Amino acid sequence: MYLLHKGHVMEKNIHRVVLDAMGGDFAPHAAVEGAVLACRHYPVHITLVGNRESIMPHLRRLGAASGMPITVHHTSQIIDMGDNPLDVVRKKKDSSIRVGLELLHDNKGDAFVSAGNSGAVASGSLFVLKRISGIDRPAIAAVLPTLSGRVVVADTGAGSAVKSFNLVQFAIMASAYSSRYLNCKKPRVGLLSNGSEDSKGTDIIREAHGLLKNSSLNYVGYVEGRDVFRSAADVVVCDGFTGNVLLKVAEGVAESFAAALKQESKKDLFSMIGALLSKKSFARLRQRFDYAEYGGAPLLGVTAPVIICHGRSNAQAVKNAVKAAMDYSVSNVVSHIQHDLEINRDLQSVGRKPSFIKRMLHDMYGKRD
Amino acid sequence: MYLLHKGHVMEKNIHRVVLDAMGGDFAPHAAVEGAVLACRHYPVHITLVGNRESIMPHLRRLGAASGMPITVHHTSQIIDMGDNPLDVVRKKKDSSIRVGLELLHDNKGDAFVSAGNSGAVASGSLFVLKRISGIDRPAIAAVLPTLSGRVVVADTGAGSAVKSFNLVQFAIMASAYSSRYLNCKKPRVGLLSNGSEDSKGTDIIREAHGLLKNSSLNYVGYVEGRDVFRSAADVVVCDGFTGNVLLKVAEGVAESFAAALKQESKKDLFSMIGALLSKKSFARLRQRFDYAEYGGAPLLGVTAPVIICHGRSNAQAVKNAVKAAMDYSVSNVVSHIQHDLEINRDLQSVGRKPSFIKRMLHDMYGKRD
């Protein structure tokens, strides 16, 4: 380990964030610059994990090679976007994702942040940090802007094929996150479907709908894609594939709307002057719909705070993700999830098949009982 | 039948559209007003199917009770949004959807248009009109605005759970629709996924990905939610559940962006004046992102032209859907689909299990061969 900030005394209220320097489309410079920005704004110590030779020039360029609460932890391997997520477990044991998670596990940090391969971060987290007892699968919970506030969407990419009990667990976790992290009292939980009637949805969604009605959560029923942005619910639950589509469609439409606004503003003289005068309001609008403003998304369901950022994260987005990681690590979401799981324990067994080993044992010894 | 326009001689280039007057959130007035608007703009004869007592007051109010090429065909039943889609087949045989489809089947019209329960329109169409030979499941193909043009998304709601060969059929149908109806030469076909790498997607999507690579279509691979609006493909293929979410999220974001623009424009004096000057460009922007401008979506895969409109269709949207129906009925998409199915016949058998009866016959007689 290369201690950049010699003699830095760790104070009690200083957060320790482990940051993957090699993840994302603009690695390592976005991560390094984000780290420097974060250190200038917040009481945080950052461990940059990645190739030292790639990281140092950026730190020097930013005048942050010394005197900053930043440590570089060298690793030799990189997980690419095209890599199998399981490579982090099997092959690339000296990758920035794997090593960063191990630093978190060994209490060398309070939270881990990465803009890298989200599948690899998810499977690495399961392997290194383990699941919260009672959770079968983690979920990435994204926070999106709505007209009057924010909505938590989970899962947005940790996994694709789900069972109804996975969706129930996502609901419990995202509800805990919304209440503890976003201070939303009794979050209204909705299940994403293709209509509001009970008959809508797939078999799995209808089954989860029935389970959630009987849960302790503030379940408000099905929500449609349109309702997500109308604040019809504080939490929207879906499988990771659909959540990923939702997130990216929302981004795509917001981007193309902003671009179309620019195009249309240039088509006549009045509109051109109007656009000049509206500069401030257009900037506020862009900010409201800019993913970078919303920091990273937590990987809910593992025993320590992991924040996953957008692959396209710029320095500003990384800075916000570091802040999100700091807030998340003190929000106590994990114990809140454990508490809610306990209350809703009955729902957990529905739709669940006994494991292969249990079935085999039952087949072998079942009749003796 | 009540002929409103006595002595109306049907000319050869006049289209005959059968319109469900009872479907949609604003029935029957949106349908009736849309019919009147359409008749004033296009060479069309419209058969309004529905409750005559509900329809006539609106026709009178609009001064269209006589002298217009509009016929009212009375039906006594209504399919609600909450009804089981199969009610159109089993129980509600005198519903506007069922009767309208039968009029189309009996060649009393060239196309059928409905803003009602889309599941009921789909199952009614399968029952009354039958499938195109070689198609297992129909798809609703929506046309959405992108920054530089339009994109066809299929399926957006005819069914949820799909197999890989369904996705291949959707691709063939939507590609034919794009080339014949939107005059797109060699439409670029993309498969909606949660990433661009081959490893992304569900098992079914990966299987379809492999099949489409070997098809005669201009297949460009996976597209992500964000790419849909960046004109990365002319046709985007997905299951009906995901397509429905995509469509409604796009609408929701466009709506909330437009509303946020309004909010922000009121926050300072310059922006207020700017917004006044930008009135024209804002109006053009709204029009570009307004679903009503894009008419209805065809139900691809049945043997006659059926157009499904948004449940919230207003009169303008109905008018545009009538125009879409007129254009679709002369576009010859059906025979184009049949042609492309023939070319890609080999792909059709992959992932398909023999039917129960075939398997039974094989088990009984298979060994004798």
Side-chain angles (χ1 to χ4, degrees):
Chain A
M1 253 216 258
Y2 187 71
L3 193 65
L4 281 163
H5 186 63
K6 279 185 195 156
H8 172 75
V9 182
M10 204 67 85
E11 285 170 39
K12 215 184 170 185
N13 58 352
I14 286 192
H15 302 261
R16 301 168 305 157
V17 171
V18 181
L19 178 60
D20 172 13
M22 311 314 282
D25 300 348
F26 311 118
H29 82 258
V32 177
E33 204 173 320
V36 172
L37 280 175
C39 289
R40 285 188 181 141
H41 282 84
Y42 313 121
V44 64
H45 176 276
I46 292 177
T47 304
L48 279 169
V49 186
N51 188 290
R52 187 178 296 141
E53 280 178 36
S54 315
I55 295 169
M56 290 310 295
H58 292 288
L59 277 176
R60 282 191 211 102
R61 180 174 57 82
L62 296 162
S66 65
M68 294 280 281
I70 295 178
T71 310
V72 177
H73 189 104
H74 178 72
T75 55
S76 61
Q77 291 175 309
I78 293 173
I79 304 258
D80 289 322
M81 293 309 279
D83 280 342
N84 186 322
L86 289 175
D87 284 354
V88 74
V89 176
R90 293 183 204 138
K91 294 182 194 163
K92 299 195 169 174
K93 293 184 184 173
D94 197 38
S95 62
S96 54
I97 293 175
R98 172 72 176 268
V99 172
L101 288 166
E102 278 167 358
L103 288 173
L104 179 60
H105 178 259
D106 299 341
N107 198 24
K108 301 269 169 61
D110 304 314
F112 175 67
V113 174
S114 175
N117 183 324
S118 59
V121 176
S123 54
S125 299
L126 285 179
F127 184 76
V128 176
L129 303 171
K130 312 299 178 205
R131 275 177 283 229
I132 292 176
S133 161
I135 293 295
D136 290 80
R137 183 185 287 189
I140 301 174
V143 179
L144 299 180
T146 69
L147 254 190
S148 58
R150 292 186 282 185
V151 61
V152 177
V153 180
D155 178 26
T156 60
S160 292
V162 293
K163 298 267 193 271
S164 56
F165 61 82
N166 293 128
L167 292 171
V168 172
Q169 290 171 7
F170 295 171
I172 290 171
M173 296 193 292
S175 180
Y177 177 65
S178 172
S179 71
R180 301 294 297 185
Y181 182 82
L182 299 177
N183 293 318
C184 176
K185 275 179 195 161
K186 275 197 137 306
R188 293 161 303 146
V189 177
L191 187 58
L192 187 64
S193 190
N194 55 344
S196 54
E197 302 84 12
D198 277 356
S199 60
K200 295 284 182 171
T202 61
D203 290 348
I204 285 166
I205 287 170
R206 280 191 294 273
E207 200 172 271
H209 185 50
L211 293 171
L212 285 166
K213 279 182 185 168
N214 293 314
S215 72
S216 72
L217 302 173
N218 183 12
Y219 181 61
V220 295
Y222 288 153
V223 295
E224 296 184 67
R226 205 166 52 225
D227 307 329
V228 175
F229 301 91
R230 286 185 181 168
S231 314
D234 303 303
V235 167
V236 170
V237 175
C238 55
D239 69 90
F241 181 86
T242 312
N244 187 283
V245 169
L246 186 159
L247 201 67
K248 288 177 181 164
V249 165
E251 258 184 66
V253 174
E255 276 174 15
S256 74
F257 205 101
L261 178 61
K262 218 171 177 177
Q263 284 176 350
E264 295 299 340
S265 296
K266 287 177 183 163
K267 283 191 183 162
D268 62 272
L269 188 66
F270 281 121
S271 300
M272 278 165 78
I273 301 168
L276 281 175
L277 290 169
S278 303
K279 221 174 161 182
K280 267 192 189 171
S281 70
F282 287 3
R284 283 193 300 263
L285 190 68
R286 257 197 307 280
Q287 194 177 13
R288 274 173 72 166
F289 285 85
D290 183 5
Y291 75 91
E293 291 299 317
Y294 292 86
L299 180 71
L300 300 174
V302 291
T303 56
V306 173
I307 299 283
I308 294 175
C309 309
H310 204 295
R312 294 188 305 141
S313 290
N314 55 20
Q316 185 63 25
V318 172
K319 179 196 128 193
N320 290 334
V322 169
K323 180 69 168 67
M326 292 163 58
D327 295 343
Y328 183 51
S329 69
V330 294
S331 68
N332 221 359
V333 170
V334 170
S335 67
H336 204 70
I337 289 173
Q338 285 165 326
H339 173 258
D340 284 1
L341 279 172
E342 194 54 40
I343 295 177
N344 296 288
R345 196 205 289 251
D346 293 349
L347 303 178
Q348 302 295 316
S349 57
V350 181
R352 189 192 294 269
K353 281 182 193 154
S355 71
F356 175 72
I357 293 174
K358 272 193 188 159
R359 269 181 293 151
M360 199 178 64
L361 286 173
H362 182 265
D363 288 348
M364 287 169 72
Y365 303 109
K367 283 163 195 167
R368 288 192 197 171
D369 294 342
Chain B
M1 254 216 256
Y2 186 72
L3 194 65
L4 281 164
H5 187 62
K6 277 184 196 157
H8 173 74
V9 182
M10 203 71 79
E11 286 168 40
K12 215 182 171 186
N13 58 352
I14 285 194
H15 302 262
R16 300 168 304 156
V17 172
V18 181
L19 178 60
D20 173 14
M22 311 313 282
D25 300 350
F26 311 118
H29 83 258
V32 177
E33 206 173 318
V36 172
L37 280 175
C39 289
R40 286 189 180 139
H41 282 82
Y42 313 120
V44 64
H45 175 276
I46 292 177
T47 304
L48 279 169
V49 187
N51 188 291
R52 186 178 296 140
E53 279 178 37
S54 314
I55 295 169
M56 290 310 295
H58 292 288
L59 277 176
R60 281 191 212 104
R61 180 174 57 82
L62 297 163
S66 64
M68 294 281 279
I70 295 178
T71 310
V72 177
H73 188 104
H74 178 73
T75 54
S76 61
Q77 291 175 308
I78 295 172
I79 304 257
D80 290 321
M81 292 310 278
D83 280 341
N84 186 320
L86 289 175
D87 284 355
V88 74
V89 177
R90 294 183 203 139
K91 294 180 192 164
K92 297 194 170 176
K93 294 183 183 173
D94 197 38
S95 62
S96 54
I97 292 175
R98 172 70 177 268
V99 172
L101 288 165
E102 277 166 357
L103 288 173
L104 179 59
H105 177 259
D106 299 340
N107 198 23
K108 300 273 169 57
D110 304 313
F112 175 66
V113 175
S114 175
N117 182 325
S118 59
V121 175
S123 54
S125 299
L126 285 179
F127 184 78
V128 176
L129 304 172
K130 313 295 179 209
R131 275 177 283 230
I132 292 175
S133 163
I135 293 295
D136 290 81
R137 186 185 286 188
I140 300 175
V143 180
L144 299 181
T146 68
L147 254 190
S148 58
R150 293 185 283 185
V151 60
V152 177
V153 180
D155 176 25
T156 59
S160 293
V162 293
K163 299 266 194 270
S164 57
F165 60 81
N166 293 129
L167 292 171
V168 172
Q169 290 171 7
F170 295 172
I172 290 171
M173 296 194 291
S175 179
Y177 177 65
S178 173
S179 73
R180 302 294 297 184
Y181 182 81
L182 299 177
N183 294 318
C184 176
K185 273 179 199 164
K186 273 195 134 317
R188 293 162 302 148
V189 177
L191 186 58
L192 187 65
S193 192
N194 55 343
S196 54
E197 303 84 13
D198 277 357
S199 60
K200 294 283 181 172
T202 61
D203 290 347
I204 285 166
I205 287 170
R206 279 190 296 271
E207 200 172 273
H209 185 49
L211 292 171
L212 285 166
K213 279 180 186 170
N214 293 315
S215 72
S216 73
L217 302 173
N218 184 13
Y219 182 60
V220 295
Y222 287 155
V223 296
E224 296 186 68
R226 206 167 49 225
D227 308 328
V228 176
F229 301 91
R230 285 187 183 166
S231 313
D234 303 304
V235 167
V236 171
V237 175
C238 56
D239 69 88
F241 181 86
T242 311
N244 187 283
V245 169
L246 186 159
L247 201 67
K248 289 178 180 165
V249 165
E251 259 184 63
V253 174
E255 277 173 15
S256 75
F257 204 100
L261 178 61
K262 219 172 178 177
Q263 284 176 352
E264 295 300 340
S265 296
K266 287 177 183 163
K267 283 191 183 163
D268 63 89
L269 189 65
F270 281 121
S271 301
M272 278 165 78
I273 301 168
L276 280 175
L277 290 168
S278 303
K279 223 174 159 181
K280 267 191 189 169
S281 70
F282 287 2
R284 285 193 300 263
L285 189 70
R286 255 196 308 279
Q287 196 178 12
R288 271 173 75 165
F289 285 85
D290 183 4
Y291 75 91
E293 291 300 315
Y294 292 84
L299 180 71
L300 300 174
V302 292
T303 56
V306 173
I307 298 283
I308 294 175
C309 310
H310 202 296
R312 295 187 305 141
S313 291
N314 56 20
Q316 185 65 23
V318 172
K319 179 197 130 193
N320 289 335
V322 168
K323 180 70 168 64
M326 291 163 59
D327 294 343
Y328 182 52
S329 70
V330 294
S331 68
N332 221 0
V333 171
V334 169
S335 67
H336 204 70
I337 289 173
Q338 284 165 329
H339 173 258
D340 283 1
L341 278 173
E342 194 54 40
I343 295 177
N344 296 287
R345 197 206 286 252
D346 293 349
L347 302 179
Q348 301 297 313
S349 56
V350 181
R352 189 191 295 269
K353 282 182 192 153
S355 72
F356 174 72
I357 292 174
K358 272 193 188 159
R359 271 181 292 149
M360 198 179 65
L361 286 173
H362 183 264
D363 289 349
M364 286 170 71
Y365 303 108
K367 285 163 194 167
R368 287 191 198 172
D369 293 341

